[in-house]
Every structure is written in structure tokens, then in C-alpha cells.
Amino acid sequence: MKLYHVHSGIVLESEGKFYHHKNINWDEFINQDDLSTQCEALVKSENPISDAETILANEILAPLKSQEVWACGVTYFKSKVGRQEESKGAGGGDFYGRVYEAPRPEVFFKATPHRVVAHGGKVNIRKDSTWDVPEPELTLVVTSSGRIVGLTIGNDMSSRSIEGENPLYLPQAKTYDACAAIGPCVLVTNEPLSPSSLISLAITR
């Protein structure tokens, strides 16, 4: 089941049909540990709509409202090696090797809601950075109790030249206006994501 955040409320997609529920508070609705059950109940409460394509084309928002966005870094070996190579000149390579092996992950603040753009929006790069990369990421939707209730797609834009100069510059490399894109929707499921799932990203300049 897919859950879309729109100006007029939410749109649910289930088995190829769309259901529009107006005046629902996104923050309250998404912060339910039984989100899947609540979505199923909404699907049963109304008839499908025929203008979903128009609504999603004109009203779609990023699938968050007041939630902060946090991210995890150095989560796979290739990332570890790349970060070590970038920062060795600044003496920071050892930090990445340590966090890759450590039981505590690298978790950093990424964005406030107003710095996030929705699906189809334009992300930014910093004018004081010479090397900027998009990073397509699996993004978790987590309730205030710590339960993962959904999945979506995120683009964690990074100013690699700034981070490579010094690991302590990470906040400047990661957090700025339009530094992240999230969406278009939340996949609401109680099942683990298939290991064969792919996330793709197209760059349009």
C-alpha cells in the first residue's frame, strides 16, 4: 500500500486503486505504530477516486510535515574506502574506518522539513563546493516510539569536497536549503523489503 501526502490530505493507493481522504493531519496519521492497519481501514471507508493522477500531479508534497530528517553514513564497505581516500590528506581517514567497525553507527542530522523538496522538485548544490553528488537512499519512516512503519526514497545531496577537506565540516556538507528530496510516497508494509529491490536516480541539469 502506498501513502501520498497532498495539500488536501492524503491519497492511498491499494491494489491499483486510489482513495482520497481530506483534512487528515499528516503528522498525527503517520505517527501511528499500527499505520498499516489504519491505512487498510481508510481504504475500506471510502470509494476509489478517478482523478488521482490530477491530484498527485498538482498537490503532491514530500511525505513529511514537521519531522526532521536524519541519516546514517559509512554503511557499506565501498563508502568506507571512498571516505578514507577523500579525507586522508586532512588526517580524517581513520575516523571513517573506526565508525565502520564500531557498534554505534554514524548518525547525523540532515534536514528540517522546509529544506526538503518533494518528488519532481529541484535540489540545490552549495556554491562554495567544487564536488557535489546525489545519493539515492532507502529512507525509513519511524514513529516517535521508534517503530519503522514505512519506507520511501531519499536523495541525500552531499558536498563531497567540503566533507573531504575535514570530517568536522559534515554539517556544512550535508545541511543547506533544498539539500534533500524525499518521496514520492511512503510504502506502508509490515514485511521486510526484498533484497532485490532497487533504487534508481536520474540527474537532470
Side-chain angles (χ1 to χ4, degrees), residues 1-4 11-14 185-188:
M1 190 177 303
K2 296 178 181 178
L3 176 63
Y4 296 85
V11 170
L12 278 161
E13 180 184 353
S14 178
C185 63
V186 173
L187 175 64
V188 181

Side-chain angles (χ1 to χ4, degrees), residues 159-177:
S159 301
R160 293 280 284 275
S161 59
I162 294 176
E163 182 183 356
E165 185 178 342
N166 190 317
L168 295 180
Y169 294 161
L170 182 67
Q172 299 171 67
K174 291 287 189 177
T175 305
Y176 52 87
D177 288 341

Side-chain angles (χ1 to χ4, degrees), residues 3-201:
L3 176 63
Y4 296 85
H5 184 200
V6 296
H7 282 290
S8 54
I10 65 172
V11 170
L12 278 161
E13 180 184 353
S14 178
E15 298 181 346
K17 297 179 180 179
F18 293 84
Y19 304 82
H20 189 195
H21 296 268
K22 300 180 180 180
N23 303 318
I24 288 182
N25 183 290
W26 177 268
D27 280 347
E28 294 178 359
F29 189 75
I30 202 74
N31 191 32
Q32 300 181 95
D33 288 346
D34 60 343
L35 181 62
S36 179
T37 300
Q38 296 299 325
C39 286
E40 290 173 0
L42 284 182
V43 166
K44 295 176 181 178
S45 68
E46 290 203 17
N47 294 321
I49 59 173
S50 58
D51 59 345
E53 186 174 338
T54 300
I55 294 173
L56 295 179
N58 296 300
E59 292 193 36
I60 196 165
L61 302 169
L64 77 171
K65 187 175 181 182
S66 64
Q67 295 89 356
E68 296 174 343
V69 181
W70 289 72
C72 298
V74 198
T75 49
Y76 50 96
F77 184 74
K78 190 174 182 179
S79 174
K80 165 187 173 291
V81 173
R83 296 300 190 276
Q84 287 179 308
E85 183 67 25
E86 291 166 23
S87 60
K88 66 180 181 182
D94 187 49
F95 289 103
Y96 294 100
R98 289 186 182 186
V99 77
Y100 181 76
E101 302 291 344
R104 180 188 292 271
E106 178 198 14
V107 180
F108 58 89
F109 176 75
K110 175 61 185 176
T112 50
H114 77 277
R115 291 186 171 93
V116 177
V117 299
H119 176 70
K122 294 182 179 180
V123 293
N124 288 338
I125 59 175
R126 291 182 59 117
K127 64 182 179 180
D128 57 347
S129 175
T130 58
W131 182 22
D132 304 274
V133 296
E135 297 184 29
E137 310 274 10
L138 174 66
T139 305
L140 308 178
V141 180
V142 185
T143 66
S144 57
S145 69
R147 181 178 177 84
I148 299 172
V149 293
L151 309 167
T152 187
I153 302 169
N155 179 4
D156 169 23
M157 289 296 300
S158 297
S159 301
R160 293 280 284 275
S161 59
I162 294 176
E163 182 183 356
E165 185 178 342
N166 190 317
L168 295 180
Y169 294 161
L170 182 67
Q172 299 171 67
K174 291 287 189 177
T175 305
Y176 52 87
D177 288 341
C179 64
I182 297 180
C185 63
V186 173
L187 175 64
V188 181
T189 176
N190 293 318
E191 301 297 325
L193 194 64
S194 169
S196 63
S197 300
L198 299 176
I199 297 175
S200 62
L201 177 74

